[in-house]
Amino acid sequence: MAPAMSSLIVEDLLTLILVTSPVPSNPSTEMIERTLRSYTEAGDLTTCTKIIVSDGCYAAAPGQREKQKHGRVPAEWIEPYAKYR
């Protein structure tokens, strides 16, 4: 028999997925730390399962426009992001 709805706890039902992308501040983890801290401050979700996903990226070719949202970043961002991941 399924548990009564009143006995369900959100932390047991919820998995938080945090997706990261290359940014100039890499390899700093400050943004992830702030985000994870906000889970505690906003709703006490510290016991929820957490999955951190890091987007892939590649260096823009010479003369090619960088498009962060598409994973095409400046060449100098590749190494710091690799350290961050």
Side-chain angles (χ1 to χ4, degrees):
M1 179 174 211
M5 290 301 280
S6 62
S7 67
L8 297 176
I9 299 172
V10 71
E11 290 85 357
D12 294 335
L13 301 172
L14 183 65
T15 297
L16 301 169
I17 301 174
L18 176 62
V19 180
T20 68
S21 299
V23 293
S25 63
N26 290 141
S28 171
T29 59
E30 182 179 356
M31 284 177 32
I32 274 195
E33 291 173 33
R34 282 182 169 184
T35 302
L36 292 173
R37 194 168 36 253
S38 75
Y39 296 158
T40 303
E41 296 166 357
D44 194 25
L45 302 174
T46 55
T47 60
C48 290
T49 300
K50 294 164 194 73
I51 298 171
I52 300 174
V53 179
S54 58
D55 283 346
C57 64
Y58 61 97
Q64 189 179 34
R65 193 167 54 123
E66 297 142 4
K67 289 182 125 181
Q68 283 179 256
K69 291 185 179 186
H70 296 263
R72 191 168 55 221
V73 298
E76 61 270 13
W77 289 18
I78 300 295
E79 186 180 340
Y81 190 56
K83 289 179 183 178
Y84 168 79
R85 292 172 84 187

